[in-house]
Amino acid sequence: GNGAPSLADGGRMGGEWRSVGSDSARMYSERKGNGRGRGRGKNFDVGLGMGVGGYGKAVGRGRGRGSGGKQFPKSDTTGLSQRRAGRGERFDKGNSSSTFMTAGGKWDDLPKVEPLRERRGRRGREVIIERFVNVYRPNGKGLDYVSGEEEEYKDEKEEKKQIEDEESFPEDQILDTAYAMHYMDSKKPWPSKIRDGTVVLHIAEKPSIALALANAFKGSGEFKTLSGHPYVLPVHILKAQFRGATCDFRVSAVAGHVYKTDFVQGYESWERTQGGTLFHVKSLKLPCKGSILRHLQVVSRGCDLVVLWLDCDNEGENICFEVLNIIHPILNSTYKNCKRVFRATFSSLAEVDLVTTLKSRLVEPNINISKSVDARQILDLKMGVAFTRFQSVFLRKNFSRLANKTISFGPCQTPSLGFCVERHDQIASFVPEKFWEICLKLPYFHQNLALSLPKDEDAKHISTVINFKWKRNRIFNKEICAMLIKLSRAKSKGMARVKEIKSVQSSLKRPLPLNTTSLLKVASKGLGMSPHEAMHAAESLYTSGFISYPRTETTKYSKNFDVYGLVRNHISHTSWGDSAKDILSKPKNMPKGGVDMGDHPPITPVRCAESHDISRPREWKLYDYITRHFLATLMDDCTLQNQTVKLQVGDETFEGIASIIEKDGFIAAMPWKRPIESKFPTDFKTDQTIRLATYEIKEGLTTAPQMLSEAELIEKMEQHKIGTDASIPTHIKSLIDRKYVHLQPGRRLAPSSLGVILAHAYRMIDQELINPVMRSKLEQQLDTIAKGELDFRQVVKHCQKIMKAKLLHFQDNAQTLKGLFDAKFARENAGSHTRDLSKCGICKRWMLYNPGVRPPTITCTTCDVTYPLPAGGAIKIFGGECPFDGFEILMFNAKGNNGISYPLCPYCYNHPPFEDINGTKLSQMSCAMCRHPTCPQSYVSLSLCRCPYCQRGQLVLDPVNRAISKVSCNHCDRLIKFANGANKVSLLKSKCERCQARLVRVEYPRNNNVLPAGETKRKGCLACDPILNATTQVVKGRLTGGGGKRRYGRRKGGRRRKNEENTMHIALNNTGGKGR
């Protein structure tokens, strides 16, 4: 087939992803013939792969001979058959033809096929079954099979060559010295007695943690700090008690990982070493910094025992063995017959916790977890480098614009990009659809509102605006909606009947204890921090001793965890002290639910701090949230009293809900969680009839979803097991740094054109490269290593084989990638008349204006995003910045004397922050439609009054003074022009007493023929002042420059109807002024 190999390895390729066996297994086959004898082969490793539908190749590396002749591993009779030459034995090998995942297909297990027929012979039993073949399915249904075809016989040499190829993957270097010594130490007992004067080395992950350890262990004494040559990092020297003996402590640290995984020398060239070659190159463990390695060698000399205080996560476990790889051979042999390495399990840097850990929480380091990290590093290196080198070199050769670009690929980064592009494609393919709904209003909401408002202090928290929702919600057929409202009007005669009144109590559940992913989502959505910034701030709070360890998946407090002891630390706090006292004054109320993952307790505050104790604002915001969340988990739920009123209008039912908080509960600690309270403005009674104020049909449009937010992406990555709680922030930051996505206001991630093209190419060539299935399955394999269920070497070789097959398939279909980039650059070349116009509000760099396309666009090449602009006029820089997003404001001038002009922000024009005046969702929005209260270009600042012609828009003053000053409607095409020669037209804050329109001041030059008696300035109302009214002319404005539908006229411009101008003046006069 032409599709990509699926996640399996049954024979050549194909089948379902299955775990590779670890230990040697005593497996045998049986052969039926004359005498029905049974032979048993020697032990050998579990097979190299699994076949289709779960029946796969079961041939191990070793072959055994038994009393009955050649014996092979037992296989299900539904496997594929293969005949051997010689004595004619037949065995079931499960070697299917390659099964491939087609472009657009889906991952699924293949169906089980029963044998077609059996034939018994003199030499043994023969079974022929259906054979799976790949069929390309463009409709996206995936794999298919054809029945009744017999498998081709395979030559023994070909099979032998295949096994040799599978075994050609090199033995990658890992921490062999540390693992070997740990294996020997694991059989030894713990030291029964520690002698006085024993030198104990303590190694932490960071110097700040080493200092916290020294302060905790010194007690009432002091410690000495050594720094400078030959020490690279500080070393703290002190005497302290360790297991009943007075010992000499040396406390120092490393700076993260000591080793990195890289290829052996000679494979640095990207052009020479590409493709599958890298999977057969040995990887090495190389020092990250030689100075740290030498520092550990120096500080460990003369030490007898070592205590490792590395972070208690998978990476920390791996760093433990990196440290042991250096210092274990140097340790003194004083306790050579005992275990000499202790692993500290801790989650807080509080002095009490550290001392308790030293006394009773020391264990052995976990070798299986460390090996799983080694496996992840090797596989990520080989797959990431192989794909990155190939696609970067391929695109550089074909496109000069990409000559200096590195197009990176990451096993976690790419599926994360896939989530963002998937949402982008949903938005791009979304087609708005009109819908209609029936809305009603009651007179109580207007006449009796003031009488029913509460008079206590809580009145400001209670809303009396209750929306009655139509039970049918919305209908997508206008005629049906019109028929329903007509029937209900005829039956109800303008009256609504109270059908049902019901009161129900509900509760708002308190939060579960806080884990890492929940913290990252809240920081992005509520605190305005990126996941990377939030993790950096949390680590800083942890190392400063303010919070517990910030990397945890647990959402349940353990029984031994002193939760209420932490609460007592906060009773005197100025902000949440009352909440802490309230918790301690009530019976214990531990949270229900949650999951204990066995790693670390949930994130909690360790000590109390005021805002002045934490200098960085970002860290204080995070600490404030963590503490309030912690207190909220120990408080009661918030209870609400909900009153539901159902109204019957004919056959149609409407429902309104009012909610009042009865008991605050946890929202006292988390006030932003307080729900909006509402109250009916009057007391309803069952079967009461009420005359309707309005009863009408409202039209609306369905809206597309928004771009994926950081919080939503974190949730998807956690759900599909892409990355860990520690690495998720790094993956999201990589997407932004590499310009595959750009950050929008509201911390939403919009994919760039580069990211979209790469994601589409991966999906077209091999969708498993970008789907989360592949990474999720790989993480499951790595988890089995960490649990000790599978062997490290076998898993690595098995995964490398799959990755290599996928890379080779990607190379064979690379022209698909080229075709997508060809189309991208062709679109860009079409608009060659570009120039710098204004600056981007995100990156603050110049954006390119392209008037040669329709509609014209402005593009930020740094963020790689394009914003369409209005067509049919001129775009110029206006000046000033949008208060929402920081983009420079532009001015659009429609062509012609009657052209309507208005300022606009490029971002708000395409992503309106408001609905229009009538609550309709906008697809585009200029500044003349913006409701920002302080922006000088919004209609709040520049509007005169409601448009008297359309009754939907606002009359807005043109902010640019020209030879002809103008006032235009921001909804329809009506335009008010002042007489020629007006120097300046400005709006005043005062309003007309008659029509409530804003007053204007008009200035003309001296000796003008417009104002009477030689006046140069006049202040008044355009509608009510007859002199100002006479200086204006109402015309039909031009919104775009031609090509649009014209209601009146002939050819270009046409001719206005005779009475149109007077009609519009009459409409203006209806506001209270006199016509022209």
Side-chain angles (χ1 to χ4, degrees), residues 715-1006:
E715 187 173 355
K716 285 181 175 291
M717 294 175 71
E718 180 187 21
Q719 178 184 352
H720 292 90
K721 298 185 182 300
I722 297 176
T724 62
D725 51 4
S727 64
I728 284 175
T730 305
H731 298 319
I732 297 177
K733 185 175 184 296
S734 298
L735 288 176
I736 298 173
D737 292 345
R738 291 164 184 172
K739 296 183 176 58
Y740 291 163
V741 300
H742 56 267
L743 197 62
Q744 289 185 341
R747 304 212 67 85
R748 295 194 173 272
L749 301 171
S752 63
S753 59
L754 176 61
V756 171
I757 288 175
L758 288 175
H760 288 173
Y762 297 144
R763 190 173 293 131
M764 293 172 67
I765 298 173
D766 181 0
Q767 62 179 355
E768 286 187 351
L769 290 176
I770 198 163
N771 284 352
V773 176
M774 180 175 172
R775 187 65 192 186
S776 179
K777 295 292 184 181
L778 178 60
E779 290 293 339
Q780 292 177 15
Q781 294 287 308
L782 297 176
D783 286 343
T784 57
I785 299 176
K787 295 175 183 177
E789 297 173 358
L790 294 182
D791 180 65
F792 160 81
R793 301 285 183 190
Q794 286 179 311
V795 170
V796 171
K797 288 183 179 181
H798 179 72
C799 296
Q800 283 187 99
K801 182 182 176 183
I802 297 171
M803 293 175 179
K804 179 184 175 182
K806 288 187 168 294
L807 177 63
L808 296 177
H809 177 78
F810 187 77
Q811 291 176 342
D812 295 339
N813 294 271
Q815 290 302 317
T816 302
L817 181 63
K818 181 179 181 297
L820 293 175
F821 274 94
D822 281 333
K824 174 182 184 292
F825 293 138
R827 290 193 301 268
E828 293 179 358
N829 292 334
S832 57
H833 306 289
T834 58
R835 58 185 175 88
D836 291 342
L837 184 64
S838 65
K839 290 186 177 180
C840 174
I842 298 175
C843 64
K844 300 302 180 184
R845 298 190 178 182
W846 286 102
M847 297 192 291
L848 294 177
Y849 172 55
N850 185 3
V853 295
R854 188 173 181 87
T857 59
I858 188 167
T859 302
C860 176
T861 56
T862 304
C863 299
D864 199 7
V865 61
T866 298
Y867 304 97
L869 298 175
I875 301 288
K876 298 180 180 179
I877 189 73
F878 180 77
E881 291 186 353
C882 175
F884 282 116
D885 44 52
F887 279 76
E888 287 188 327
I889 297 178
L890 307 177
M891 171 59 72
F892 169 75
N893 298 319
K895 297 177 182 178
N897 292 331
N898 295 340
I900 294 177
S901 59
Y902 48 82
L904 61 94
C905 161
Y907 187 85
C908 293
Y909 180 76
N910 293 280
H911 306 87
F914 296 112
E915 298 175 341
D916 71 358
I917 303 170
N918 304 289
T920 305
K921 182 69 175 179
L922 297 169
S923 59
Q924 294 175 331
M925 189 191 80
S926 67
C927 294
M929 305 175 74
C930 178
R931 301 203 300 268
H932 194 282
T934 60
C935 179
Q937 275 70 52
S938 68
Y939 84 74
V940 176
S941 303
L942 297 177
S943 67
L944 280 76
C945 61
R946 183 178 291 272
C947 176
Y949 193 86
C950 68
Q951 293 295 327
R952 297 189 68 183
Q954 294 280 329
L955 293 178
V956 180
L957 178 66
D958 187 341
V960 179
N961 289 289
R962 300 180 181 83
I964 302 177
S965 298
K966 308 171 186 177
V967 174
S968 60
C969 176
N970 62 6
H971 186 270
C972 65
D973 58 358
R974 292 306 180 260
L975 178 68
I976 301 176
K977 298 169 59 176
F978 289 87
N980 292 344
N983 288 340
K984 185 178 181 182
V985 179
S986 55
L987 286 175
L988 304 178
K989 292 183 179 180
S990 54
K991 295 183 178 181
C992 175
E993 296 180 354
R994 183 177 180 183
C995 66
Q996 296 301 310
R998 290 179 65 179
L999 303 183
V1000 299
R1001 178 188 288 113
V1002 185
E1003 299 180 12
Y1004 282 91
R1006 294 181 180 179

Side-chain angles (χ1 to χ4, degrees), residues 126-255:
E126 294 182 343
V127 177
I128 303 174
I129 72 161
E130 293 180 339
R131 178 168 70 94
F132 287 102
V133 296
N134 179 62
V135 178
Y136 180 73
R137 299 296 296 275
N139 58 3
K141 291 185 179 179
L143 303 172
D144 203 345
Y145 67 90
V146 178
S147 62
E149 295 189 15
E150 189 172 336
E151 174 66 50
E152 294 293 334
Y153 300 143
K154 198 173 183 181
D155 186 75
E156 187 175 356
K157 292 182 179 179
E158 184 181 347
E159 180 187 349
K160 184 177 180 181
K161 183 178 182 302
Q162 178 186 342
I163 296 174
E164 290 175 353
D165 290 341
E166 291 171 349
E167 295 179 348
S168 65
F169 293 107
E171 295 287 337
D172 297 289
Q173 183 184 14
I174 54 176
L175 305 169
D176 296 314
T177 302
Y179 294 153
M181 292 190 171
H182 173 78
Y183 176 76
M184 292 187 291
D185 282 355
S186 62
K187 299 180 179 180
K188 300 175 183 178
W190 291 103
S192 58
K193 184 178 181 181
I194 304 296
R195 292 188 285 270
D196 290 341
T198 298
V199 181
V200 182
L201 175 63
H202 298 263
I203 297 295
E205 191 162 327
K206 296 175 183 177
S208 57
I209 299 177
L211 181 61
L213 292 172
N215 284 318
F217 298 154
K218 71 177 182 180
S220 59
E222 297 294 333
F223 63 86
K224 180 173 65 173
T225 301
L226 305 178
S227 59
H229 186 75
Y231 304 111
V232 177
L233 298 173
V235 180
H236 310 292
I237 308 296
L238 65 150
K239 286 186 177 294
Q241 292 292 314
F242 181 63
R243 300 207 164 190
T246 303
C247 301
D248 295 326
F249 281 12
R250 296 183 191 176
V251 186
S252 190
V254 291

Side-chain angles (χ1 to χ4, degrees), residues 105 150 399 555 589 599:
E150 189 172 336
F399 302 102
T555 56
N589 186 15
D599 50 355

